[in-house]
Amino acid sequence: MQKKILYFALILMMASTLQVKAQYAKEDSTYKKYFIGSTLFMLANLIPDNNPPEMIYLNLGYRITGKDVISLEFKTWKYAWPIGIPFGKSYEAEGEGFPGYIREHGVSLNYQRFLWKGLFAQVDVMPAFQTFVNDGKKIDKGFQIFNTYSIGYHIKLFKDRFFFQPSIAMTHRPYQSKMPDSFKQVDDRWPRVFFWQPGLHFGFNF
């Protein structure tokens, strides 16, 4: 399931290179300061699979200037494999998963800076609460700090009423509370850093 979404992400990111004028001018006072958005990865909820992510993303943002943006992103999803497994033969492979799954709820604080035209860099810091589930039963709770460092491109759509932001990122878990032993044994096989995470955010300006 995730591989299909990743292929879709790469196609959209390559298509985005056709856009060349997207940055909000620093001196421009007419751009819309507020936006609400989400991610196209929520489409993964619709793909027939025995482990759907049940993902919800909601992003609320404010453009401080034409180059500086802050936002809050409310997120929840579940996952059954360690998030440090790199792309390759072990990614979501049978035998590499948890004995159940982790349900995560978090709110990230995001800062975005436009660098050149539509090119931007972004840092997200997310404290997240975790619920560990095995055989349909909640067996423990946990907490982690999950950070994302990304670079992407902002594409204006429909006279700047909407936008699309393909990106690529590194994710990092600087803190993880103690996991149940059965989950920890699987998670400890992999690093707490993941490279080349694609992003497919979109939004509505108002």
Side-chain angles (χ1 to χ4, degrees), residues 85-134:
I85 300 179
F87 294 131
K89 64 180 182 180
S90 296
Y91 187 77
E92 293 196 354
E94 187 175 351
E96 297 291 351
F98 293 126
Y101 65 84
I102 300 174
R103 161 63 68 180
E104 195 147 293
H105 301 271
V107 179
S108 67
L109 175 63
N110 311 334
Y111 171 71
Q112 183 183 82
R113 172 73 178 180
F114 281 99
L115 304 174
W116 178 75
K117 294 187 176 180
L119 186 70
F120 65 84
Q122 182 167 316
V123 177
D124 306 351
V125 178
M126 183 182 73
F129 295 94
Q130 301 170 311
T131 301
F132 298 89
V133 179
N134 193 0

Side-chain angles (χ1 to χ4, degrees), residues 130-142:
Q130 301 170 311
T131 301
F132 298 89
V133 179
N134 193 0
D135 291 329
K137 298 179 181 179
K138 298 178 182 179
I139 62 172
D140 205 350
K141 293 184 178 180

Side-chain angles (χ1 to χ4, degrees), residues 4 10 24 30 81 114 117 136 141 154 164 184 186-188:
K4 292 180 182 178
L10 291 173
Y24 296 99
T30 62
W81 285 267
F114 281 99
K117 294 187 176 180
K141 293 184 178 180
H154 180 92
F164 176 55
K184 186 177 187 301
V186 178
D187 192 69
D188 283 351

